[in-house]
Amino acid sequence: MLGWEGMPARRAAGAADAGAGGAGGARAPERFLAQAMEELGDAVLRLALSQLRDAADAEDVFQEVFLRLLSHGPQFNGEDHLRAWLLRVTLNRCRDYQRARSRRRTDPYGDLEQVAGVSDDAGLAGSDIWDAVGLLPEDMRAVIHLFYVEGYATDEIGRLVGCKAATVRTRLHRARRLLREALEPQRELEASDTARAAGAASDARRM
């Protein structure tokens, strides 16, 4: 079991103990939280950002998820169980934020660079694919992220989002089709630009 007691001493624990000035070190819950944030914080923030498309809201969800972990203090059967719990809580908080957005307007692609390193790790921010994923319905956006970025299998995704694996596969299929349709015009434009550039270069060589 992975929890407050008997937690392995890792880098986060050492940092927490050092920060306590040697006076007995940080309490076990604080060490556990520091370790979880160090090892799984990027996954939580990536998922929140992919769902909300807003850096400030994603940061807020990140803080709320780990505060809930600290206050809840559950026991976990290893890191995979903890990771699944954190991502499930993240999805739920993102849904709450998305419902609240009906009362306010936000720029869906603004300030992505503020999440230092996390967007770059996913390799998507600022790309055509990132923009296309942002236009998908919420349920498709979640399964695309969990499948391609976090590497979950469809049955695991089903447990995280609360549906059958067959439903996850259907959403993945529909999401891929929508992404192809969204990206095809851009690819055709790029191919046309490449052909024109090649033609211009050929003409220049003949001159």
Side-chain angles (χ1 to χ4, degrees):
M1 300 286 285
L2 180 64
W4 296 158
E5 303 301 329
M7 187 192 68
R10 299 189 182 183
R11 293 191 303 273
D17 288 342
R27 293 183 294 109
E30 294 168 351
R31 294 198 305 272
F32 178 82
L33 180 66
Q35 178 185 321
M37 292 178 73
E38 178 184 0
E39 297 181 357
L40 300 171
D42 279 0
V44 169
L45 193 54
R46 278 196 303 266
L47 178 57
L49 184 59
S50 76
Q51 293 300 102
L52 298 175
R53 318 294 291 187
D54 181 90
D57 285 351
E59 291 278 6
D60 288 344
V61 167
F62 175 91
Q63 297 294 332
E64 292 171 17
V65 167
F66 282 102
L67 282 174
R68 180 171 175 182
L69 176 64
L70 181 62
S71 62
H72 190 54
Q75 295 290 316
F76 297 98
N77 295 317
E79 185 172 310
D80 287 345
H81 185 197
L82 172 59
R83 180 188 183 95
W85 185 89
L86 287 169
L87 295 183
R88 188 165 56 249
V89 173
T90 301
L91 283 172
N92 289 337
R93 290 301 299 131
C94 287
R95 291 188 186 110
D96 292 340
Y97 271 69
Q98 286 160 340
R99 284 192 290 267
R101 279 182 174 177
S102 62
R103 299 188 297 272
R104 62 188 177 92
R105 302 288 294 177
T106 60
D107 176 4
Y109 307 120
D111 298 327
L112 298 182
E113 69 279 2
Q114 291 181 15
V115 187
V118 177
S119 298
D120 293 339
D121 289 344
L124 294 174
S127 69
D128 294 333
I129 295 176
W130 173 264
D131 291 347
V133 169
L135 298 176
L136 292 173
E138 175 191 344
D139 55 352
M140 295 184 191
R141 203 160 61 236
V143 298
I144 284 287
H145 180 89
L146 292 170
F147 186 82
Y148 286 106
V149 179
E150 302 302 336
Y152 279 99
T154 53
D155 58 336
E156 296 171 318
I157 295 172
R159 288 193 291 271
L160 284 171
V161 303
C163 68
K164 296 179 180 179
T167 302
V168 172
R169 289 191 289 272
T170 298
R171 291 176 184 176
L172 282 171
H173 174 74
R174 291 175 178 170
R176 291 186 191 110
R177 176 173 54 80
L178 291 173
L179 288 173
R180 282 195 298 270
E181 293 173 356
L183 293 171
E184 190 61 32
Q186 179 62 28
R187 288 172 178 169
E188 291 176 354
L189 179 61
E190 290 173 353
S192 176
D193 289 344
T194 300
R196 283 198 298 270
S202 177
D203 292 343
R205 286 193 296 271
R206 288 196 295 268
M207 292 178 65

